[in-house]
Each structure stands twice: as structure tokens, then as C-alpha cells.
Amino acid sequence: MKPVDPRLFAQARVARGYLLLCVAFGLADAILLVVGAGALAGVVADGFLHGLTPARALPALAIVTACVIGRSVLAWAGDAAATATSAAVKSHLRQALLAHDVALGARRPDAPARHGESALLATRGLDALDGYFARYLPQVVLAAVVPLAIAARILVADRLSGIIVALTVPLVPVFMILVGLASKAAMDRQWTALNRLSGHFLEVLSGLPTLKASGRSRAQSDVIRRAADAQRRTTMTTLRWAFLSALVLELLATLSVALVAVAIGLRLVGGDLALRDGLLALILAPEVYLPLRRLGARYHDAAEGLAATDQVFTRLAEPVPDAGTIRIPGGYAPGIRMDRVTVRHGDRGAAVFEDFDAEFPPGRVTGLAGPSGAGKSTLLHLILGLAAPESGRVLVDGRDLADLDLEAWRSHIAWVPQKPFLAAGTVAENIRLGRPGASDAEVAAVAERARLDVPLDRQVGVRGTALSGGQVRRLAIARALLRDAPIVLLDEPTEGLDADTEQDVLDVLAAVLPGRTCVLVTHRAAVERLCDSVLTIGEPRQLLTGASA
């Protein structure tokens, strides 16, 4: 692992400023340390040899106190800057990773299997950068600046002590590098094992209905158990290397300081060294090794974060396939058709659809019915471009969806997923995600039409904390109404609603859906009555060949 990853600082400008700030703090800390140690050595020497009175010692003690306070302020300022920088860099990398994955979209055949890896990298992986910015990077700067400054001061005060320090200090980074190389290999293995476990776990979850239907779910639990056990073993190996590195560095530093102390003690007894110079060298000697010891200990704080960041940069370096550029004109409801579409769970999973044909006429409401796991939500993902068929085509007015500009295409769609996403903020802000430029009056109007019985200024948490399931559903419908798109995709739009509220919502949908191309997933007969036609999908274990109405 490089002490400072240039890619990290090339990606985020705020990190470069923080590095310069760390250098300035390191120089200031070294100066305060040397000044404070000199004042303390002078007070002790004068008090022992000349009977220094408290009044005469006050100026020197004031200097020592000021240096201690100054170093504390620098430590606090460094922590504050580290927290702000780490948050900014993590946000930047998460946005870059998300943008890259969205750009890749479903164009890669292994896109579903990568979702677990992306989630792990964007959460736990990048969160580990806190240790890098808050503890490791400042210590890298201190390890580069402080030992040199202190060793130079020791050399001026006591040449022999300076020579001993100069000969022993290089041993610390040598052993640090040797242990670090082995530790990095162990950390890479741990992260690879964790990545494999998370990716496989998410892929199994996504295909669980098919695995359950085919009787293969228990076999997958054994596979996950073996992957988890491999991750546990690699984690324990990493911890052993961490403890070993700490032991080696502490032993080297202790022996080196002992050599300096013995040399100073023998010469003080023989009268060959002034007490003040000996005390100064003795006070400063441990401070030469301390930044290096801490650097070795804090290497492991940064190793996981940088291992994950390395994978983020590898991911960002992947070329994005050429996207479609065709834009369909807005303001009208196009027809959508599935042409011999085949979709599977994972790379080699069971088929959800095989040579599947379906027609969603323009300006008509088409219902999708069938048991859970049959592939109804998958059809909506195909229309959105969030999934890509293994073979076959999704056609929009005869144009292949793969040739369309997906960003422009999605701007024509209002989507209410089975589990609507809500961000932290007010109810009004979450509704306005449907059309960010909407006025307060427009937001209030669609909330009233969706029968949303929640104050628009109420604060909600991520995923709708503080709202009931029915309120979340009505908020999502209000968002779709605000979008006013010619294509509407509804996945169980009345799930979680009581009978009276369901009828109110159905009345709203009955008023806005005519003239729009709508695909509506439902299990409820009352909702099916809104549809011009209903496409019934068979049992989950069946391969769907052709559409049935």
C-alpha cells in the first residue's frame, strides 16, 4: 500500500488541500515539541543544579504549558479537518461509483452479480476511509516530518545520541515495510473474500424464488456458509499480522531508546555530558520513534479503506460501453413490445422468461397478474432499462430500447416500484423528486389527489421512517402524478392500503391513466378493473413461452 495514493488525491481536490494542511500541522507540532522539550529540560536542569525558585521557573513552565496547549489545538484542528475531508472524499467517490454503475446499467451481462460488490464498496468499503484520513494520513506526515526535526535537534544537543538515533530509526520503517507487505496480502485476501461473500449472497437473494421452487435453496446455504468461513479465516490472519507488527515496532523502539538512555547515563556519571543536553536528548528520543510506531499501528486503520478504494478505482477505470443516442419525442404515449425476450437469474441461473413475447399497446392500461416470483417486476425493469435481456429485444415504437438514450427515455416514465424509495427530508421534498421544479401549490395538489393524509412539512427518514406503509405508497403515487409522464409503470400501487383509501386511489388513477401507456402489476381484482387488458404470467417454476391474456 502506498503511503499516499495519488489516484485518491487526483479524484478529490479537497484531499490535496488536506494533505498540505497535514504538512503544516506536522511542522507546527514538531516545532512546539522541540521548544517545549527544551524549556522543560532547562527547568529540570536549573532546578537540580542551581536551586531554581518557582518564580524564576514560571516563564519556562509557561512555555511548556503553551506548547502542550498548542499541540492539543493542532490535534483537535487536525481531527476536524480529517472528518470534513473524509466526508467530502467519500461523497465524491460514492457519486463517481454510482454514476459509473448507472452508466454501465444493464449493458454488462454480470450487472446483477455486481450489485452486492457495489453496495459493499460504497458503504463499508468507503466508510473505512475515515481511518485513513483521520488517523493514518496525518501520521504519515508526522512520521516524515517529526523524526527528522527532532533528530536534528538531538544531534545538536548530543552528537552520540544523535548518531544512535540516526542508525536505529531506519530499522523501524524497514521492519514496517516487511510486515506491511505480508499484512497487505492478508488484507487483500480478506477484502476479496468479503466481496465474494456479499456478491454471492445478493445474487442468491435475487434468485431465491427460483431456487426455492427448484429445491436448491438449502444447497446455497452451504455455499454461503463456506464463503463466510473463508472470510472469517482471512480476517483472523489479518488480525495476527496486525498484532505482530505492533510487537515488532514496539520492541525496536524500546531497544533504541534504551541504547540512547544508557549512553546518556554513562556520560552523565562520568561528567562528559551537560545535564541539560542529556535531559533534552532523553526527553526527545522517544518522540523520534513515536510517530513511526503509531504509523505502524494505524496502518491497519487505513488498509481496509484503501483496499476498497483500490477496487473503486479499478471499477471506475472500466470502459463504459457506448450508450444509445436515439431520443424519442415527448408528449405522446408510445407502444412497447417484448420480442422473444430471454432473462435469467445470474449468469447461469434458471430462466425467468424464455423467448417471451408481449405487447403493451400505446395509450392503453395493461395489467400484469400472476404469483410472486413469476417475473412481473422483471418486466418493469426491462422497460426501464434497469435489466437487459440475454437475448431478444425490448421495442419502443419499433425501436430497440438498447439504441435509445436511456436517460432521455426514463424522463418519459413515471414509476411506482414495489418498495418506493424515500430520502431523508420533508414529505414535500420527497414528492418533488418526481419533478424538482414543481411549485408548492403543485405538490400540495398532487398530495391531495393521492389522498395523502400527512403534513407536507413532516420530516421523514430514509425509506420512509415515521410513515406507515400505506402513506409511503400514497406518497409514491403523488410523486408519479407530479411527474405527469406519458408512460406509467405501477408495481402493486394499492398494496398496504385499506379498502376505502384503495378506492380513493383507484378513482385518481382512473382519471389520469387513460391516454397513457401503462403497465400495472397487481394481485387485486379491484385494480384489474382499471386495465384494458390483463397479461397473466404462470407459476414461478414455469418458463414463459409466449404471452397469455
Side-chain angles (χ1 to χ4, degrees):
M1 182 179 74
K2 297 178 180 178
V4 178
D5 192 330
R7 297 173 300 177
L8 193 61
F9 292 89
Q11 281 282 336
R13 293 182 178 180
V14 66
R16 295 198 291 271
Y18 176 63
L19 181 61
L20 296 176
L21 195 62
C22 283
V23 173
F25 285 170
L27 288 171
D29 186 78
I31 292 171
L32 291 176
L33 179 58
V34 170
V35 172
L40 180 60
V43 168
V44 174
D46 289 344
F48 184 75
L49 296 177
H50 307 297
L52 188 65
T53 62
R56 294 177 57 191
L58 279 178
L61 293 176
I63 293 175
V64 174
T65 303
C67 290
V68 171
I69 294 174
R71 295 185 69 194
S72 300
V73 170
L74 287 175
W76 171 83
D79 287 343
T83 300
T85 302
S86 180
V89 172
K90 289 190 298 182
S91 176
H92 175 83
L93 290 179
R94 282 187 180 121
Q95 290 177 11
L97 180 62
L98 179 61
H100 187 268
D101 280 0
V102 169
L104 282 175
R107 298 187 187 103
R108 290 177 57 106
D110 61 342
R114 290 160 58 93
H115 293 166
E117 298 177 12
S118 296
L120 182 65
L121 287 174
T123 53
R124 172 173 170 173
L126 291 179
D127 279 341
L129 281 177
D130 289 336
Y132 177 80
F133 284 103
R135 291 178 288 276
Y136 180 72
L137 185 58
Q139 204 58 47
V140 168
V141 175
L142 291 176
V145 173
V146 173
L148 291 175
I150 296 178
R153 183 65 184 92
I154 292 175
L155 189 63
V156 172
D158 179 18
R159 183 172 299 176
L160 179 59
S161 296
I163 292 173
I164 294 174
V165 167
L167 292 176
T168 55
V169 162
L171 295 177
V172 178
V174 168
F175 280 90
M176 190 188 305
I177 292 171
L178 293 176
V179 176
L181 290 175
S183 177
K184 181 182 184 302
M187 180 61 71
D188 288 342
R189 287 194 298 270
Q190 182 208 17
W191 186 256
T192 300
L194 184 60
N195 225 348
R196 186 181 301 116
L197 174 63
S198 64
H200 184 74
F201 187 70
L202 185 63
E203 191 172 359
V204 168
L205 282 180
S206 65
L208 193 57
T210 303
L211 292 170
K212 191 71 176 177
S214 59
R216 296 290 299 165
S217 58
R218 291 189 178 276
Q220 288 300 319
S221 65
D222 293 333
V223 174
I224 292 175
R225 187 180 298 109
R226 289 194 297 271
D229 189 60
Q231 199 272 334
R232 178 189 60 79
R233 290 195 301 271
T234 56
T235 300
M236 295 304 297
T237 301
T238 302
L239 290 175
R240 283 196 292 269
W241 279 110
F243 293 139
L244 175 63
S245 63
L247 173 64
V248 170
L249 297 180
E250 289 290 339
L251 183 61
L252 277 173
T254 301
L255 292 177
S256 300
V257 173
L259 286 175
V260 174
V262 169
I264 290 174
L266 291 176
R267 284 178 296 139
L268 286 175
V269 171
D272 298 326
L273 180 64
L275 179 59
R276 179 170 184 157
D277 292 339
L279 286 174
L280 178 60
L282 193 58
I283 292 171
L284 290 178
E287 300 293 339
V288 176
Y289 304 95
L290 183 60
L292 295 171
R293 287 159 50 201
R294 286 180 176 171
L295 178 62
R298 291 174 178 175
Y299 170 89
H300 304 281
D301 290 331
E304 182 178 358
L306 288 186
T309 305
D310 185 66
Q311 294 199 22
V312 170
F313 288 130
T314 301
R315 181 76 64 86
L316 293 177
E318 294 176 356
V320 177
D322 292 335
T325 56
I326 298 176
R327 289 173 172 259
I328 63 169
Y332 82 105
I336 302 170
R337 185 163 66 88
M338 302 288 164
D339 179 23
R340 302 186 64 81
V341 167
T342 297
V343 178
R344 299 182 185 275
H345 279 308
D347 294 337
R348 298 178 297 276
V352 184
F353 305 113
E354 187 167 340
D355 292 336
F356 178 64
D357 295 316
E359 185 85 24
F360 304 102
R364 309 282 285 177
V365 180
T366 304
L368 288 179
S372 298
K376 302 184 295 297
S377 296
T378 301
L379 275 178
L380 300 187
H381 290 172
L382 287 170
I383 295 172
L384 285 161
L386 298 177
E390 181 180 292
S391 61
R393 299 180 299 167
V394 179
L395 300 175
V396 180
D397 279 353
R399 301 184 183 93
D400 193 335
L401 182 61
D403 297 330
L404 297 185
D405 182 331
L406 285 181
E407 193 69 24
W409 164 243
R410 290 170 185 153
S411 69
H412 301 310
I413 300 175
W415 178 37
V416 178
Q418 196 168 26
K419 294 182 179 179
F421 173 79
L422 270 67
T426 65
V427 171
E429 289 169 344
N430 275 280
I431 295 176
R432 194 175 276 110
L433 290 175
R435 182 156 54 89
S439 66
D440 292 342
E442 290 173 317
V443 171
V446 295
E448 183 178 357
R449 292 173 66 190
R451 306 298 195 270
L452 183 59
D453 56 347
V454 183
L456 295 180
D457 59 353
R458 175 181 290 183
Q459 290 288 331
V460 298
V462 177
R463 302 187 186 279
T465 303
L467 297 181
S468 68
Q471 289 170 335
V472 170
R473 179 68 53 180
R474 280 174 280 170
L475 191 156
I477 291 173
R479 183 191 295 168
L481 294 176
L482 182 65
R483 194 164 180 82
D484 194 25
I487 305 167
V488 181
L489 306 180
L490 303 172
D491 198 345
E492 301 288 357
T494 61
E495 183 181 359
L497 303 182
D498 59 66
D500 291 338
T501 307
E502 179 185 49
Q503 188 56 52
D504 288 340
V505 170
L506 291 179
D507 291 342
V508 173
L509 293 178
V512 300
L513 291 183
R516 305 174 195 266
T517 301
C518 177
V519 183
L520 193 159
V521 174
T522 185
H523 292 97
R524 305 169 79 103
V527 181
E528 288 184 4
R529 286 195 286 270
L530 289 175
C531 304
D532 298 303
S533 61
V534 178
L535 174 66
T536 303
I537 296 179
E539 295 295 327
R541 67 182 69 235
Q542 295 177 347
L543 301 183
L544 305 177
T545 307
S548 59

PDB file of all heavy atoms in Angstrom, residues 293-320:
ATOM      1  N   ARG A 293       6.052   4.390  15.306  1.00  0.00           N
ATOM      2  CA  ARG A 293       5.299   3.323  15.957  1.00  0.00           C
ATOM      3  C   ARG A 293       3.803   3.493  15.717  1.00  0.00           C
ATOM      4  O   ARG A 293       3.090   2.540  15.433  1.00  0.00           O
ATOM      5  CB  ARG A 293       5.596   3.319  17.458  1.00  0.00           C
ATOM      6  CG  ARG A 293       6.991   2.800  17.809  1.00  0.00           C
ATOM      7  CD  ARG A 293       7.422   3.269  19.186  1.00  0.00           C
ATOM      8  NE  ARG A 293       6.404   3.004  20.202  1.00  0.00           N
ATOM      9  CZ  ARG A 293       6.343   3.640  21.354  1.00  0.00           C
ATOM     10  NH1 ARG A 293       7.225   4.594  21.645  1.00  0.00           N
ATOM     11  NH2 ARG A 293       5.413   3.339  22.234  1.00  0.00           N
ATOM     12  N   ARG A 294       3.348   4.729  15.853  1.00  0.00           N
ATOM     13  CA  ARG A 294       1.927   4.980  15.621  1.00  0.00           C
ATOM     14  C   ARG A 294       1.552   4.741  14.156  1.00  0.00           C
ATOM     15  O   ARG A 294       0.447   4.271  13.863  1.00  0.00           O
ATOM     16  CB  ARG A 294       1.587   6.412  16.010  1.00  0.00           C
ATOM     17  CG  ARG A 294       1.541   6.631  17.520  1.00  0.00           C
ATOM     18  CD  ARG A 294       1.206   8.068  17.849  1.00  0.00           C
ATOM     19  NE  ARG A 294       1.062   8.269  19.284  1.00  0.00           N
ATOM     20  CZ  ARG A 294       0.949   9.463  19.856  1.00  0.00           C
ATOM     21  NH1 ARG A 294       0.975  10.571  19.104  1.00  0.00           N
ATOM     22  NH2 ARG A 294       0.796   9.572  21.162  1.00  0.00           N
ATOM     23  N   LEU A 295       2.460   5.067  13.245  1.00  0.00           N
ATOM     24  CA  LEU A 295       2.196   4.831  11.834  1.00  0.00           C
ATOM     25  C   LEU A 295       1.989   3.344  11.574  1.00  0.00           C
ATOM     26  O   LEU A 295       1.073   2.944  10.849  1.00  0.00           O
ATOM     27  CB  LEU A 295       3.348   5.360  10.985  1.00  0.00           C
ATOM     28  CG  LEU A 295       3.227   5.144   9.469  1.00  0.00           C
ATOM     29  CD1 LEU A 295       1.996   5.865   8.925  1.00  0.00           C
ATOM     30  CD2 LEU A 295       4.482   5.623   8.756  1.00  0.00           C
ATOM     31  N   GLY A 296       2.846   2.515  12.178  1.00  0.00           N
ATOM     32  CA  GLY A 296       2.686   1.078  12.005  1.00  0.00           C
ATOM     33  C   GLY A 296       1.376   0.578  12.584  1.00  0.00           C
ATOM     34  O   GLY A 296       0.697  -0.275  11.996  1.00  0.00           O
ATOM     35  N   ALA A 297       1.003   1.120  13.754  1.00  0.00           N
ATOM     36  CA  ALA A 297      -0.250   0.697  14.378  1.00  0.00           C
ATOM     37  C   ALA A 297      -1.456   1.152  13.575  1.00  0.00           C
ATOM     38  O   ALA A 297      -2.465   0.445  13.485  1.00  0.00           O
ATOM     39  CB  ALA A 297      -0.321   1.235  15.803  1.00  0.00           C
ATOM     40  N   ARG A 298      -1.367   2.338  12.974  1.00  0.00           N
ATOM     41  CA  ARG A 298      -2.509   2.895  12.260  1.00  0.00           C
ATOM     42  C   ARG A 298      -2.544   2.496  10.797  1.00  0.00           C
ATOM     43  O   ARG A 298      -3.483   2.865  10.082  1.00  0.00           O
ATOM     44  CB  ARG A 298      -2.512   4.418  12.406  1.00  0.00           C
ATOM     45  CG  ARG A 298      -2.823   4.814  13.843  1.00  0.00           C
ATOM     46  CD  ARG A 298      -2.702   6.278  14.104  1.00  0.00           C
ATOM     47  NE  ARG A 298      -3.067   6.577  15.491  1.00  0.00           N
ATOM     48  CZ  ARG A 298      -2.973   7.762  16.059  1.00  0.00           C
ATOM     49  NH1 ARG A 298      -2.515   8.781  15.350  1.00  0.00           N
ATOM     50  NH2 ARG A 298      -3.323   7.936  17.312  1.00  0.00           N
ATOM     51  N   TYR A 299      -1.528   1.776  10.367  1.00  0.00           N
ATOM     52  CA  TYR A 299      -1.557   1.225   9.010  1.00  0.00           C
ATOM     53  C   TYR A 299      -2.815   0.398   8.808  1.00  0.00           C
ATOM     54  O   TYR A 299      -3.471   0.457   7.765  1.00  0.00           O
ATOM     55  CB  TYR A 299      -0.311   0.366   8.794  1.00  0.00           C
ATOM     56  CG  TYR A 299      -0.323  -0.457   7.528  1.00  0.00           C
ATOM     57  CD1 TYR A 299       0.172   0.066   6.337  1.00  0.00           C
ATOM     58  CD2 TYR A 299      -0.823  -1.755   7.523  1.00  0.00           C
ATOM     59  CE1 TYR A 299       0.163  -0.688   5.182  1.00  0.00           C
ATOM     60  CE2 TYR A 299      -0.839  -2.512   6.368  1.00  0.00           C
ATOM     61  CZ  TYR A 299      -0.350  -1.975   5.204  1.00  0.00           C
ATOM     62  OH  TYR A 299      -0.370  -2.720   4.061  1.00  0.00           O
ATOM     63  N   HIS A 300      -3.172  -0.371   9.843  1.00  0.00           N
ATOM     64  CA  HIS A 300      -4.320  -1.263   9.715  1.00  0.00           C
ATOM     65  C   HIS A 300      -5.640  -0.507   9.737  1.00  0.00           C
ATOM     66  O   HIS A 300      -6.652  -1.023   9.262  1.00  0.00           O
ATOM     67  CB  HIS A 300      -4.274  -2.312  10.835  1.00  0.00           C
ATOM     68  CG  HIS A 300      -2.988  -3.087  10.845  1.00  0.00           C
ATOM     69  ND1 HIS A 300      -2.746  -4.120   9.965  1.00  0.00           N
ATOM     70  CD2 HIS A 300      -1.866  -2.954  11.603  1.00  0.00           C
ATOM     71  CE1 HIS A 300      -1.529  -4.601  10.190  1.00  0.00           C
ATOM     72  NE2 HIS A 300      -0.976  -3.912  11.170  1.00  0.00           N
ATOM     73  N   ASP A 301      -5.638   0.734  10.280  1.00  0.00           N
ATOM     74  CA  ASP A 301      -6.842   1.558  10.211  1.00  0.00           C
ATOM     75  C   ASP A 301      -7.161   1.943   8.774  1.00  0.00           C
ATOM     76  O   ASP A 301      -8.325   2.161   8.432  1.00  0.00           O
ATOM     77  CB  ASP A 301      -6.665   2.843  11.048  1.00  0.00           C
ATOM     78  CG  ASP A 301      -6.652   2.556  12.530  1.00  0.00           C
ATOM     79  OD1 ASP A 301      -7.288   1.574  12.945  1.00  0.00           O
ATOM     80  OD2 ASP A 301      -5.994   3.301  13.267  1.00  0.00           O
ATOM     81  N   ALA A 302      -6.117   2.062   7.971  1.00  0.00           N
ATOM     82  CA  ALA A 302      -6.300   2.529   6.596  1.00  0.00           C
ATOM     83  C   ALA A 302      -6.329   1.408   5.575  1.00  0.00           C
ATOM     84  O   ALA A 302      -6.797   1.605   4.458  1.00  0.00           O
ATOM     85  CB  ALA A 302      -5.179   3.505   6.226  1.00  0.00           C
ATOM     86  N   ALA A 303      -5.813   0.218   5.960  1.00  0.00           N
ATOM     87  CA  ALA A 303      -5.624  -0.837   4.966  1.00  0.00           C
ATOM     88  C   ALA A 303      -6.937  -1.262   4.323  1.00  0.00           C
ATOM     89  O   ALA A 303      -7.029  -1.407   3.094  1.00  0.00           O
ATOM     90  CB  ALA A 303      -4.939  -2.043   5.622  1.00  0.00           C
ATOM     91  N   GLU A 304      -7.982  -1.443   5.125  1.00  0.00           N
ATOM     92  CA  GLU A 304      -9.252  -1.883   4.553  1.00  0.00           C
ATOM     93  C   GLU A 304      -9.837  -0.819   3.636  1.00  0.00           C
ATOM     94  O   GLU A 304     -10.322  -1.119   2.544  1.00  0.00           O
ATOM     95  CB  GLU A 304     -10.242  -2.219   5.668  1.00  0.00           C
ATOM     96  CG  GLU A 304     -11.574  -2.738   5.124  1.00  0.00           C
ATOM     97  CD  GLU A 304     -12.546  -3.112   6.223  1.00  0.00           C
ATOM     98  OE1 GLU A 304     -12.177  -3.015   7.407  1.00  0.00           O
ATOM     99  OE2 GLU A 304     -13.678  -3.511   5.888  1.00  0.00           O
ATOM    100  N   GLY A 305      -9.784   0.443   4.089  1.00  0.00           N
ATOM    101  CA  GLY A 305     -10.323   1.516   3.269  1.00  0.00           C
ATOM    102  C   GLY A 305      -9.599   1.655   1.947  1.00  0.00           C
ATOM    103  O   GLY A 305     -10.216   1.832   0.888  1.00  0.00           O
ATOM    104  N   LEU A 306      -8.260   1.569   1.982  1.00  0.00           N
ATOM    105  CA  LEU A 306      -7.503   1.720   0.737  1.00  0.00           C
ATOM    106  C   LEU A 306      -7.634   0.494  -0.149  1.00  0.00           C
ATOM    107  O   LEU A 306      -7.584   0.604  -1.378  1.00  0.00           O
ATOM    108  CB  LEU A 306      -6.037   1.996   1.058  1.00  0.00           C
ATOM    109  CG  LEU A 306      -5.758   3.393   1.622  1.00  0.00           C
ATOM    110  CD1 LEU A 306      -4.271   3.614   1.774  1.00  0.00           C
ATOM    111  CD2 LEU A 306      -6.349   4.476   0.736  1.00  0.00           C
ATOM    112  N   ALA A 307      -7.806  -0.689   0.453  1.00  0.00           N
ATOM    113  CA  ALA A 307      -8.058  -1.880  -0.358  1.00  0.00           C
ATOM    114  C   ALA A 307      -9.377  -1.737  -1.110  1.00  0.00           C
ATOM    115  O   ALA A 307      -9.479  -2.057  -2.300  1.00  0.00           O
ATOM    116  CB  ALA A 307      -8.079  -3.128   0.522  1.00  0.00           C
ATOM    117  N   ALA A 308     -10.404  -1.220  -0.409  1.00  0.00           N
ATOM    118  CA  ALA A 308     -11.692  -0.991  -1.069  1.00  0.00           C
ATOM    119  C   ALA A 308     -11.585   0.125  -2.101  1.00  0.00           C
ATOM    120  O   ALA A 308     -12.152   0.028  -3.199  1.00  0.00           O
ATOM    121  CB  ALA A 308     -12.751  -0.648  -0.025  1.00  0.00           C
ATOM    122  N   THR A 309     -10.854   1.191  -1.755  1.00  0.00           N
ATOM    123  CA  THR A 309     -10.698   2.305  -2.689  1.00  0.00           C
ATOM    124  C   THR A 309      -9.978   1.867  -3.956  1.00  0.00           C
ATOM    125  O   THR A 309     -10.296   2.327  -5.060  1.00  0.00           O
ATOM    126  CB  THR A 309      -9.934   3.450  -2.011  1.00  0.00           C
ATOM    127  OG1 THR A 309     -10.597   3.805  -0.800  1.00  0.00           O
ATOM    128  CG2 THR A 309      -9.873   4.673  -2.905  1.00  0.00           C
ATOM    129  N   ASP A 310      -9.004   0.984  -3.809  1.00  0.00           N
ATOM    130  CA  ASP A 310      -8.307   0.454  -4.977  1.00  0.00           C
ATOM    131  C   ASP A 310      -9.288  -0.253  -5.913  1.00  0.00           C
ATOM    132  O   ASP A 310      -9.213  -0.104  -7.144  1.00  0.00           O
ATOM    133  CB  ASP A 310      -7.206  -0.507  -4.532  1.00  0.00           C
ATOM    134  CG  ASP A 310      -6.369  -1.001  -5.698  1.00  0.00           C
ATOM    135  OD1 ASP A 310      -5.663  -0.186  -6.309  1.00  0.00           O
ATOM    136  OD2 ASP A 310      -6.424  -2.211  -6.003  1.00  0.00           O
ATOM    137  N   GLN A 311     -10.241  -0.987  -5.330  1.00  0.00           N
ATOM    138  CA  GLN A 311     -11.239  -1.647  -6.167  1.00  0.00           C
ATOM    139  C   GLN A 311     -12.188  -0.627  -6.791  1.00  0.00           C
ATOM    140  O   GLN A 311     -12.662  -0.815  -7.914  1.00  0.00           O
ATOM    141  CB  GLN A 311     -12.016  -2.660  -5.340  1.00  0.00           C
ATOM    142  CG  GLN A 311     -11.155  -3.827  -4.867  1.00  0.00           C
ATOM    143  CD  GLN A 311     -11.982  -5.028  -4.461  1.00  0.00           C
ATOM    144  OE1 GLN A 311     -13.116  -5.180  -4.871  1.00  0.00           O
ATOM    145  NE2 GLN A 311     -11.403  -5.885  -3.645  1.00  0.00           N
ATOM    146  N   VAL A 312     -12.473   0.462  -6.060  1.00  0.00           N
ATOM    147  CA  VAL A 312     -13.315   1.517  -6.629  1.00  0.00           C
ATOM    148  C   VAL A 312     -12.641   2.118  -7.854  1.00  0.00           C
ATOM    149  O   VAL A 312     -13.265   2.298  -8.907  1.00  0.00           O
ATOM    150  CB  VAL A 312     -13.608   2.609  -5.584  1.00  0.00           C
ATOM    151  CG1 VAL A 312     -14.277   3.811  -6.245  1.00  0.00           C
ATOM    152  CG2 VAL A 312     -14.490   2.068  -4.470  1.00  0.00           C
ATOM    153  N   PHE A 313     -11.332   2.411  -7.741  1.00  0.00           N
ATOM    154  CA  PHE A 313     -10.620   2.995  -8.874  1.00  0.00           C
ATOM    155  C   PHE A 313     -10.523   2.003 -10.033  1.00  0.00           C
ATOM    156  O   PHE A 313     -10.589   2.387 -11.203  1.00  0.00           O
ATOM    157  CB  PHE A 313      -9.228   3.440  -8.445  1.00  0.00           C
ATOM    158  CG  PHE A 313      -9.236   4.670  -7.577  1.00  0.00           C
ATOM    159  CD1 PHE A 313      -8.546   4.697  -6.380  1.00  0.00           C
ATOM    160  CD2 PHE A 313      -9.937   5.794  -7.949  1.00  0.00           C
ATOM    161  CE1 PHE A 313      -8.552   5.814  -5.574  1.00  0.00           C
ATOM    162  CE2 PHE A 313      -9.959   6.926  -7.161  1.00  0.00           C
ATOM    163  CZ  PHE A 313      -9.268   6.937  -5.961  1.00  0.00           C
ATOM    164  N   THR A 314     -10.361   0.723  -9.711  1.00  0.00           N
ATOM    165  CA  THR A 314     -10.361  -0.295 -10.759  1.00  0.00           C
ATOM    166  C   THR A 314     -11.699  -0.324 -11.467  1.00  0.00           C
ATOM    167  O   THR A 314     -11.775  -0.419 -12.700  1.00  0.00           O
ATOM    168  CB  THR A 314     -10.057  -1.674 -10.155  1.00  0.00           C
ATOM    169  OG1 THR A 314      -8.780  -1.639  -9.515  1.00  0.00           O
ATOM    170  CG2 THR A 314     -10.036  -2.745 -11.237  1.00  0.00           C
ATOM    171  N   ARG A 315     -12.774  -0.198 -10.675  1.00  0.00           N
ATOM    172  CA  ARG A 315     -14.114  -0.182 -11.260  1.00  0.00           C
ATOM    173  C   ARG A 315     -14.312   1.059 -12.127  1.00  0.00           C
ATOM    174  O   ARG A 315     -14.876   0.990 -13.221  1.00  0.00           O
ATOM    175  CB  ARG A 315     -15.145  -0.210 -10.124  1.00  0.00           C
ATOM    176  CG  ARG A 315     -16.598  -0.229 -10.560  1.00  0.00           C
ATOM    177  CD  ARG A 315     -17.012  -1.601 -11.071  1.00  0.00           C
ATOM    178  NE  ARG A 315     -16.948  -2.584 -10.029  1.00  0.00           N
ATOM    179  CZ  ARG A 315     -17.935  -2.838  -9.158  1.00  0.00           C
ATOM    180  NH1 ARG A 315     -19.051  -2.144  -9.235  1.00  0.00           N
ATOM    181  NH2 ARG A 315     -17.809  -3.782  -8.260  1.00  0.00           N
ATOM    182  N   LEU A 316     -13.845   2.212 -11.642  1.00  0.00           N
ATOM    183  CA  LEU A 316     -14.036   3.453 -12.398  1.00  0.00           C
ATOM    184  C   LEU A 316     -13.228   3.461 -13.694  1.00  0.00           C
ATOM    185  O   LEU A 316     -13.557   4.194 -14.631  1.00  0.00           O
ATOM    186  CB  LEU A 316     -13.634   4.659 -11.545  1.00  0.00           C
ATOM    187  CG  LEU A 316     -14.511   4.942 -10.318  1.00  0.00           C
ATOM    188  CD1 LEU A 316     -13.962   6.123  -9.525  1.00  0.00           C
ATOM    189  CD2 LEU A 316     -15.948   5.200 -10.725  1.00  0.00           C
ATOM    190  N   ALA A 317     -12.141   2.646 -13.718  1.00  0.00           N
ATOM    191  CA  ALA A 317     -11.311   2.594 -14.927  1.00  0.00           C
ATOM    192  C   ALA A 317     -11.921   1.716 -16.010  1.00  0.00           C
ATOM    193  O   ALA A 317     -11.451   1.724 -17.151  1.00  0.00           O
ATOM    194  CB  ALA A 317      -9.908   2.090 -14.570  1.00  0.00           C
ATOM    195  N   GLU A 318     -12.954   0.945 -15.672  1.00  0.00           N
ATOM    196  CA  GLU A 318     -13.578   0.082 -16.667  1.00  0.00           C
ATOM    197  C   GLU A 318     -14.271   0.928 -17.740  1.00  0.00           C
ATOM    198  O   GLU A 318     -14.987   1.877 -17.399  1.00  0.00           O
ATOM    199  CB  GLU A 318     -14.606  -0.837 -16.005  1.00  0.00           C
ATOM    200  CG  GLU A 318     -13.992  -1.839 -15.043  1.00  0.00           C
ATOM    201  CD  GLU A 318     -15.064  -2.661 -14.350  1.00  0.00           C
ATOM    202  OE1 GLU A 318     -16.262  -2.373 -14.580  1.00  0.00           O
ATOM    203  OE2 GLU A 318     -14.711  -3.566 -13.591  1.00  0.00           O
ATOM    204  N   PRO A 319     -14.052   0.625 -18.995  1.00  0.00           N
ATOM    205  CA  PRO A 319     -14.716   1.411 -20.053  1.00  0.00           C
ATOM    206  C   PRO A 319     -16.223   1.183 -20.056  1.00  0.00           C
ATOM    207  O   PRO A 319     -16.695   0.071 -19.820  1.00  0.00           O
ATOM    208  CB  PRO A 319     -14.068   0.880 -21.334  1.00  0.00           C
ATOM    209  CG  PRO A 319     -13.603  -0.505 -20.982  1.00  0.00           C
ATOM    210  CD  PRO A 319     -13.214  -0.465 -19.535  1.00  0.00           C
ATOM    211  N   VAL A 320     -16.945   2.229 -20.276  1.00  0.00           N
ATOM    212  CA  VAL A 320     -18.402   2.139 -20.361  1.00  0.00           C
ATOM    213  C   VAL A 320     -18.781   1.898 -21.816  1.00  0.00           C
ATOM    214  O   VAL A 320     -18.356   2.650 -22.695  1.00  0.00           O
ATOM    215  CB  VAL A 320     -19.055   3.436 -19.849  1.00  0.00           C
ATOM    216  CG1 VAL A 320     -20.566   3.366 -20.003  1.00  0.00           C
ATOM    217  CG2 VAL A 320     -18.669   3.690 -18.406  1.00  0.00           C
TER     218      VAL A 320
END
